[in-house]
Each structure stands twice: as structure tokens, then as C-alpha cells.
């Protein structure tokens, strides 16, 4: 099974069998996947109570209200819903993720807590899918759209965690903005303000951390996005790519692409 990041999901991947349910448990109840590996992967948000996960090898982990868990397909574990002031409950959304060769893809090898305290947006997306799954009428399109929104939100958290774990956290807000808003032409002064730094200090810190100026980083980020668009969307035109990424015109985009990649975008596209 291939492990990918949330931000790696693209046109090559197929999401299907998305279905959610609000589960309510009596304290002490459990569900056992040991000897019968979990058939799908899923996300679980613990609404109330606490849960204990025991793996096939005996390892035990504990989770609590507010945690968002990712559970991979094929995982063998026993989950027990512990005593609390209220009965335990959770939002569970199961799904299947494959690439175009039908190879199964997942986000981790074992159960992981993605968020200690999931945001309102994350919970609302899961609630929507669970509620909509009660009726099969039009559920597929609605659930797929909302689930993609949910994964996009997780991708934001993933990118932020990666940046804040970097050696220089001061410029993380600017890096996050540049990576998320590829088409933007925010000024260096605006980027420095995001980091609560003066422009001179920001330029110095940015160069030390990335090896590039903010302008150079922006251009390279745009070209990386252009390469991804050309690879994932064969029908897209060079002009469309230039417009999406905020280039002044197609010729300037082609010149910039060639200077960084070494070949024109048309040649790059034909050689994929």
C-alpha cells in the first residue's frame, strides 16, 4: 500500500465509497479488528468520552474527546470506549483511495492522532458527511465534494506543521502563504508583516532558510505548480497554465519555465 501526504492527492487518485456515521457506544463497549483487518480506511472524531486502542502486538494507546484520528485500511486493533460522564460517541467517515493503477493509497501505517483539538470546520465537514450518508439519494456527489474540502483543510494543517517544524519558524507564515497562494503577487513588505518582522530582517531570514529571495522562491513555487498541472492535466494549454499561476502572459511564462527547468513547457509536456 502506498503512503502519501494529504497535499499529494491529485487527478491521479480516485476517492470512492465515502460514507459516514455517528456512532454511539455504551461505556465499556468495544469493536475488534484483530484477526479481521479493517476493510477501509477512515477518520474518527471523538465527540465524547475516551477510547483505548490495543494493537495485535499488545501496544496500547489512549485518545480523548476532541481528537481527530486517522485509521488506515488493513489495521488490526481492538478499540474500547471507556467510561465517562456521558455515553461515548464519535463521527466516523470511511473511504477508499486508489491511484490510476488501482493501487491502494493511505496516509499512515497505523492509527495516528492528526489533531488534538479539531477545528469547527473539520468537525462540520464530518458531521455533514455523516448526516448526508443517512440517505443514498445524491449522497455520492455531495459527500465527495465535502470530503475533498475536509482533506484540503487537513492539507493546510500538514503544510503548517511541516513549516513550523523547520529550523527557522519566524518565516513560516510567509512560506505557508506563498505555497498556498501560488498565483498571489503579495509584496515582500506584506510577507514580512505576516511574520511580524521588518522587511530587512525578513529578507535576511528568508534567504538564510530557503537559499533564495522571496521573489525567487515565489517563481520557483509557480514553476513547480506548473509542472504538476502539465503532468496531471494533459488537456490543459500553456496559456491556461500561465493564467492560473498569475503570469503576465504565456511568452513570459515559457521563458521563465525554460530558464528554471531547462526545456520549454511544450517539450516538458510532450516528454511526460
Amino acid at each position: 500500500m502506498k503512503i502519501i501526504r494529504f497535499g499529494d492527492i491529485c487527478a491521479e487518485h480516485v476517492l470512492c465509497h465515502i460514507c459516514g456515521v455517528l456512532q454511539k457506544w455504551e461505556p465499556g463497549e468495544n469493536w475488534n479488528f484483530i484477526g479481521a483487518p479493517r476493510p477501509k480506511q477512515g477518520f474518527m472524531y471523538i465527540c465524547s468520552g475516551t477510547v483505548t486502542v490495543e494493537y495485535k502486538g499488545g501496544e496500547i494507546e489512549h485518545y480523548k474527546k476532541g481528537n481527530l484520528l486517522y485509521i488506515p485500511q488493513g489495521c488490526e486493533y481492538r478499540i474500547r470506549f471507556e467510561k465517562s460522564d456521558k455515553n461515548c460517541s464519535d463521527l466516523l467517515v470511511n473511504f477508499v483511495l486508489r491511484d490510476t493503477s488501482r493501487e491502494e493509497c493511505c496516509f499512515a501505517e497505523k492509527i495516528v492522532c492528526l489533531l488534538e483539538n479539531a477545528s469547527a470546520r473539520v468537525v462540520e465537514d464530518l458531521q455533514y458527511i455523516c448526516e448526508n450518508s443517512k440517505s443514498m439519494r445524491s449522497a455520492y456527489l455531495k459527500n465527495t465534494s465535502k470530503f475533498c474540502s475536509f482533506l484540503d483543510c487537513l492539507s493546510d494543517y500538514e503544510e503548517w506543521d511541516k513549516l513550523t517544524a523547520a529550523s527557522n519558524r519566524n518565516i513560516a507564515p510567509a512560506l505557508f502563504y506563498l505555497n498556498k497562494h501560488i498565483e498571489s503577487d503579495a509584496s515582500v513588505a506584506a510577507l514580512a508583516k505576516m511574520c511580524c518582522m521588518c522587511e530587512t530582517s525578513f529578507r535576511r531570514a528568508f534567504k538564510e532558510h530557503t537559499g533564495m529571495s522571496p521573489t525567487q522562491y515565489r517563481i520557483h513555487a509557480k514553476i513547480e505548480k506548473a509542472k504538476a498541472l502539465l503532468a496531471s492535466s494533459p488537456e490543459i494549454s500553456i496559456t491556461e497554465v500561465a493564467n492560473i499561476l498569475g503570469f503576465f502572459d504565456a511568452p513570459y511564462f515559457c521563458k521563465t519555465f525554460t530558464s528554471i527547468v531547462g526545456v520549454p513547457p511544450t517539450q516538458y509536456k510532450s516528454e511526460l
Side-chain angles (χ1 to χ4, degrees), residues 31-35 38 52-63 69-72 74-80 108-113:
W31 193 265
N32 188 14
F33 286 101
I34 296 177
R38 201 174 199 277
T52 297
V53 171
E54 180 181 355
Y55 291 100
K56 184 178 179 179
E59 180 184 357
I60 296 176
E61 294 180 346
H62 303 279
Y63 303 101
L69 310 182
Y70 167 71
I71 309 174
C75 188
E76 292 192 51
Y77 64 99
R78 180 185 292 109
I79 184 167
R80 186 171 65 252
E109 294 181 334
K110 59 178 292 186
I111 297 173
V112 293
C113 180

Side-chain angles (χ1 to χ4, degrees), residues 82-95:
E82 306 290 1
K83 291 182 179 181
S84 65
D85 295 337
K86 301 179 181 179
N87 289 343
C88 303
S89 63
D90 65 81
L91 298 170
L92 176 66
V93 174
N94 291 319
F95 65 100

Side-chain angles (χ1 to χ4, degrees), residues 97 151 255 269:
L97 177 64
L151 291 177
K255 180 180 179 180
K269 185 176 180 181

Side-chain angles (χ1 to χ4, degrees), residues 5 37 67 87 99 103 126 156 188 200 224 259:
R5 301 184 314 136
N67 290 175
N87 289 343
D99 61 18
E103 181 178 1
L126 293 178
D156 285 351
V188 175
T200 301
E224 286 302 311
S259 68

